[in-house]
Amino acid sequence: LKLDRSVALPACGAMPPKGKVHEKRRRKKGGLLSFLPTFGYDSVAYLVVFAAIVYFKGWHIPLEDAVRRQLGLGPQTRDSADRIEASMKDIQSNKAIDLDDALSQFRHFCGGRWSTKGCPEYLTEVPKVLASLKLGPGTWDRKPFKKAKTLEFDKLLIDVSLKPEAANVTAELKAIAAELVGSAPKSVKKDLKAISVIQPKKEGSE
């Protein structure tokens, strides 16, 4: 066989073009994150500024409220705060409130990371909360409470009853739990524990 010398053959050990070498090194250097787009420092700065504007303008609140509503939780907006304030005035005036009002109050004052630090003071108002709740719609014409809210309120009542400051209002907390059972969806009634877990303080006990 005759070798056609008109076709140039690569020399042994010849290196690829310089640009391809750098490209190969860049890919190797990227590793697992090489598929991600790269951003300059100016792009990061723009994102930080945009996030700050969204936060301070309050544009994130509607999205947060939408998520909380889907989870059956109350929104933490100004409207929610206004409702809590209005319902607190109602109990001071011996006016009726409903379970939604009571849940919003318990959640706001004693509900974990969304609560304020006023739980001990709020617990002194629980007898009035119960009295106003009993003035509200009777269990015969109440709409069933949403499942997620029912379970949340049930757990919240148990957690609150375990606080030392709640020792003198356990009877009222148990009565609120009974109101909750009366309005709970049938599918979750058997899962409610506050009515049996909360034990009222016995007369004469310290």
Side-chain angles (χ1 to χ4, degrees):
L1 295 176
K2 292 184 179 181
L3 182 63
D4 186 357
R5 297 185 180 278
S6 63
V7 178
L9 296 177
C12 182
M15 296 295 291
K18 188 175 182 181
K20 292 186 177 180
V21 173
H22 289 314
E23 182 180 352
K24 198 171 185 181
R25 285 178 181 171
R26 279 198 301 268
R27 277 189 207 155
K28 189 174 181 180
K29 188 176 181 180
L32 294 175
L33 301 179
S34 59
F35 66 93
L36 294 176
T38 56
F39 296 98
Y41 290 111
D42 53 344
S43 300
V44 174
Y46 288 140
L47 287 174
V48 171
V49 171
F50 177 74
I53 292 174
V54 168
Y55 180 81
F56 287 110
K57 286 284 188 180
W59 296 339
H60 65 292
I61 293 176
L63 177 60
E64 180 183 347
D65 287 350
V67 172
R68 289 179 64 80
R69 286 191 186 96
Q70 289 298 319
L71 295 175
L73 305 175
Q76 295 297 302
T77 61
R78 184 66 230 172
D79 291 340
S80 178
D82 289 342
R83 176 176 179 172
I84 293 168
E85 184 178 354
S87 64
M88 289 300 294
K89 289 180 179 178
D90 286 340
I91 68 171
Q92 296 300 330
S93 302
N94 199 30
K95 294 181 180 179
I97 64 171
D98 58 22
L99 283 170
D100 259 321
D101 294 323
L103 173 57
S104 295
Q105 291 177 7
F106 271 87
R107 184 193 289 141
H108 178 74
F109 291 107
C110 303
R113 68 188 184 95
W114 285 293
S115 66
T116 64
K117 296 181 180 180
C119 190
E121 290 78 11
Y122 174 72
L123 290 176
T124 64
E125 304 291 339
V126 164
K128 293 181 180 180
V129 174
L130 175 61
S132 291
L133 194 57
K134 286 182 174 293
L135 292 174
T139 55
W140 62 273
D141 63 352
R142 269 186 201 162
K143 294 180 180 179
F145 219 35
K146 288 185 177 181
K147 180 178 178 180
K149 285 186 176 182
T150 301
L151 295 174
E152 179 196 2
F153 203 178
D154 184 69
K155 183 179 183 304
L156 188 51
L157 286 169
I158 294 174
D159 292 342
V160 171
S161 71
L162 298 176
K163 295 179 180 292
E165 300 87 353
N168 293 324
V169 293
T170 48
E172 287 81 1
L173 292 173
K174 190 177 183 76
I176 293 174
E179 294 286 322
L180 181 63
V181 171
S183 294
K186 292 181 180 179
S187 61
V188 300
K189 283 182 184 288
K190 65 180 183 303
D191 298 322
L192 302 182
K193 301 176 182 178
I195 189 69
S196 57
V197 170
I198 300 175
Q199 298 299 323
K201 181 181 177 181
K202 295 180 179 180
E203 292 291 334
S205 62
E206 295 294 331

